[in-house]
Amino acid sequence: MTTNPGATPTPYTDGEKETLYASLDRHRDAVLWKLQGLDDEQVRRVMTPSGTNLLGLVKHLASVEYGWFCSAFGREVEPLWFDPFSDEDMSAGQDETTEGIVAFYGRARTAADRTVTELSLEDVGTTGNGRTVSLRWVLVHMIEETARHAGHMDIVRELIDGGTGDHRPG
């Protein structure tokens, strides 16, 4: 992002790529904030008939970051221990720790960030089903995907302990 010496980056006036990235990153941070202060049982607690829980949503978001930003652009993806095309990416097994899934999300974000940094918005990749997509489209899609699931996490977190909002107060 464009910065002034000693100033905070301002996504409100930066270019298109920086603005899209800042939006995605803000929603990513909200996803992680939704886990803060909760114990292992709470982050795994199923709160809907479909089985939605906070930790499963983080695992899912990590797998889609790898899929859209890395696989689509021919970049390295760490070996996945689950099938991302099934419900396995939406739930956390008892052998999967909160710390492990959060670290997985961090690695996926880092890999995705490299793609965003190294490519232009016009660069194209190919999805698993053969569609050609630009980095611009993937950024917009991932903002939508992450914000959608952050919204799910808002509701789940409120049902667990009444916590609301998208960032720490203060």
Side-chain angles (χ1 to χ4, degrees), residues 22-127:
S23 178
L24 174 60
D25 221 32
R26 187 172 55 88
H27 292 301
R28 288 163 153 180
D29 290 344
V31 163
L32 292 175
W33 178 78
K34 290 298 171 184
L35 302 178
Q36 289 182 358
L38 298 178
D39 63 28
D40 192 60
E41 183 278 325
Q42 290 171 312
V43 298
R44 293 170 182 275
R45 190 180 300 168
V46 173
M47 300 302 293
T48 67
S50 66
T52 301
N53 66 75
L54 296 172
L55 198 55
L57 288 167
V58 175
K59 182 179 172 184
H60 169 72
L61 286 168
S63 72
V64 295
E65 290 254 356
Y66 270 129
W68 286 106
F69 286 114
C70 299
S71 293
F73 291 96
R75 292 168 171 259
E76 189 173 335
V77 175
E78 72 177 85
L80 302 180
W81 64 95
F82 57 90
D83 179 358
F85 301 103
S86 71
D87 288 340
E88 290 178 29
D89 79 329
M90 292 292 284
S91 63
Q94 290 305 314
D95 59 332
E96 297 173 300
T97 65
T98 300
E99 294 78 20
I101 290 178
V102 169
F104 173 54
Y105 187 49
R107 292 188 305 275
R109 283 177 67 168
T110 297
D113 290 349
R114 276 193 301 273
T115 300
V116 173
T117 299
E118 295 170 3
L119 299 181
S120 75
L121 292 175
E122 293 75 27
D123 283 331
V124 295
T126 305
T127 65

